[in-house]
């Protein structure tokens, strides 16, 4: 590559770029070691329905490196994807979620709760992915309807036929399929119609300024309308204020996730939060 770049190869010695490359190589090394040493945790963030009661949670992976401050997923997920570490990490998150669902299934006050698990493109494309989901469901003995997989629009950028076939296989198992960060990508509406989806998830980007930015409000309204006309559920992420929630409800979105209700919590604190909500 350096050779074919010829004269432009000087770019490789741009100190700033070099620093970035070195930093992410170091992060990749730490990530691999962190994975071997079990430095990952799963936090759970509540999702609530129209009546304010919890419908379930989203599982969000956390990396607690002994020296670094908590590295946010936004930083390490892309590196985990590049190095394919996301495949075992993602499988582990899935197993954690299924084990938690199995626990809740034994408690009548919790048995209705769902867990949403994020699935990266690299993970979804893995030839074993469908089998892994099947195994995780079978080994934990959970009812597959309680497991939600959050897929992203970037899956739709290529290999459309294979994507639809895989989604259909997951759907046949009874798993719930949600399209995360909706509106940020470029899914064409004709694609959307062909996907065996259950839900669209409105990205926080549009919720953030929904009260002040007419464009964001219009986008949110369009997504809600689209979900309704395709017969899909819709949930809004990043809801931080009562006003945002009221606006979303007025547009027909009755499921929410965000700091207004609760931030992502370790399982122990989540259980306490749920206890405190019960009468
Ligand atoms: P996401 O799936 O869109 O998850 C929602 C993100 O929004 C989470 O960030 C959550 O903490 C944050 N959030 C929720 N409510 C609010 C709010 O009211 N205000 C604000 N400012 N933020 C809110 P987090 O945990 O940092 O995760 C970032 C992204 O990393 C996730 O976005 C997801 O794409 C990815 N991710 C997290 N866990 C996993 C995982 O297990 N596997 C994969 N493949 N990706 C993951
Ligand atoms: Mg998500
Ligand atoms: Mg999201
Ligand atoms: Mg998001």
């Amino acid at each position: 590559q350096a050779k074919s770049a010829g004269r432009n190869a000087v770019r490789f010695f741009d100190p700033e770029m070099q620093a970035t490359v070195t930093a992410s190589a170091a992060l990749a090394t730490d990530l691999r070691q962190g994975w071997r040493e079990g430095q990952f945790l799963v936090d759970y963030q509540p999702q609530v329905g129209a009546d304010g009661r919890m419908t379930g949670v989203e599982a969000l992976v956390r990396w607690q490196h002994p020296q670094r401050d908590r590295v946010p997923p936004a930083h390490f997920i892309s590196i985990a994807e590049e190095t394919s570490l996301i495949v075992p990490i993602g499988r582990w998150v899935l197993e954690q979620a299924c084990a938690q669902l199995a626990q809740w299934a034994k408690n009548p006050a919790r048995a209705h709760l769902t867990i949403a698990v994020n699935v990266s493109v690299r993970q979804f494309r893995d030839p074993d992915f469908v089998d892994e989901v099947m195994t995780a469901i079978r080994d934990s003995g959970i009812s597959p309807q309680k497991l939600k997989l959050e897929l992203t629009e970037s899956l739709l950028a290529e290999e459309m036929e294979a994507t639809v076939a895989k989604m259909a296989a997951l759907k046949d198992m009874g798993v719930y399929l949600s399209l995360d960060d909706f509106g940020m990508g470029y899914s064409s509406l004709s694609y959307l119609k062909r996907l065996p989806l259950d839900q669209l998830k409105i990205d926080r980007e549009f919720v953030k300024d929904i009260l002040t930015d007419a464009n964001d409000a219009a986008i949110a309204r369009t997504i809600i309308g689209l979900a309704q006309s395709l017969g899909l559920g819709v949930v809004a992420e990043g809801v931080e204020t009562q006003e945002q929630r009221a606006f979303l409800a007025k547009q027909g979105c009755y499921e929410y996730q965000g700091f207004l209700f609760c931030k992502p919590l370790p399982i122990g604190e989540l259980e306490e939060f749920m206890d405190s909500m019960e009468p």
Side-chain angles (χ1 to χ4, degrees):
Q1 162 113 47
K3 199 172 175 193
S4 68
R7 239 172 244 202
N8 296 327
V10 73
R11 284 188 64 235
F12 279 71
F13 302 104
D14 175 334
E16 211 168 283
M17 186 176 164
Q18 189 58 48
T20 311
V21 169
T22 308
S24 67
L27 201 58
T29 304
D30 281 8
L31 198 63
R32 207 169 286 116
Q33 187 184 356
W35 171 241
R36 270 199 312 271
E37 294 181 1
Q39 293 169 4
F40 291 82
L41 305 164
V42 180
D43 279 358
Y44 296 94
Q45 186 179 31
Q47 300 181 324
V48 309
D51 56 5
R53 289 171 60 96
M54 268 178 69
T55 54
V57 295
E58 176 174 9
L60 294 158
V61 73
R62 300 291 179 247
W63 178 23
Q64 189 62 76
H65 185 273
Q67 273 88 47
R68 296 176 189 268
D69 283 338
R70 270 203 171 193
V71 187
H75 290 172
F76 72 79
I77 293 286
S78 60
I79 292 169
E81 285 219 312
E82 285 160 24
T83 56
S84 292
L85 261 182
I86 194 65
V87 174
I89 295 175
R91 188 191 310 132
W92 177 79
V93 174
L94 180 70
E95 288 164 357
Q96 295 295 110
C98 289
Q100 191 52 57
L101 283 171
Q103 281 297 315
W104 285 343
K106 292 188 266 182
N107 178 347
R110 306 261 193 273
H112 64 287
L113 298 171
T114 59
I115 300 185
V117 174
N118 292 283
V119 178
S120 83
V121 174
R122 173 67 187 81
Q123 198 187 350
F124 184 90
R125 297 265 191 256
D126 194 273
D128 295 331
F129 180 65
V130 174
D131 277 348
E132 285 174 8
V133 174
M134 195 153 19
T135 304
I137 291 171
R138 197 193 47 217
D139 290 356
S140 58
I142 62 160
S143 125
Q145 287 77 17
K146 297 288 183 290
L147 180 65
K148 295 186 171 188
L149 297 181
E150 294 196 355
L151 310 176
T152 59
E153 281 176 279
S154 35
L155 274 180
L156 311 177
E158 49 190 290
E159 297 181 42
M160 191 60 191
E161 295 306 322
T163 300
V164 173
K166 244 183 201 189
M167 287 177 69
L170 293 164
K171 199 70 244 157
D172 285 346
M173 264 184 243
V175 171
Y176 190 100
L177 299 179
S178 179
L179 200 52
D180 202 359
D181 303 329
F182 189 72
M184 292 305 283
Y186 38 85
S187 20
S188 93
L189 300 185
S190 58
Y191 276 180
L192 205 56
K193 194 181 67 181
R194 294 182 45 207
L195 299 178
L197 275 174
D198 297 290
Q199 181 185 69
L200 301 180
K201 197 165 181 187
I202 306 173
D203 194 71
R204 175 160 66 87
E205 210 43 50
F206 307 118
V207 174
K208 216 171 44 177
D209 301 320
I210 206 169
L211 299 166
T212 50
D213 185 323
N215 291 325
D216 286 347
I219 291 170
R221 202 177 298 128
T222 303
I223 296 173
I224 295 164
L226 189 61
Q228 285 167 346
S229 46
L230 291 171
L232 304 176
V234 62
V235 55
E237 72 179 20
V239 180
E240 294 186 355
T241 68
Q242 284 294 357
E243 290 74 21
Q244 290 169 339
R245 177 207 194 162
F247 184 93
L248 286 157
K250 214 170 90 192
Q251 307 304 324
C253 174
Y254 304 110
E255 201 172 354
Y256 322 93
Q257 179 181 339
F259 296 167
L260 172 62
F261 308 97
C262 192
K263 62 180 188 180
L265 297 173
I267 188 65
E269 288 175 45
L270 176 75
E271 298 273 3
E272 283 171 29
F273 172 81
M274 292 192 291
D275 288 340
S276 74
M277 280 180 70
E278 277 152 25

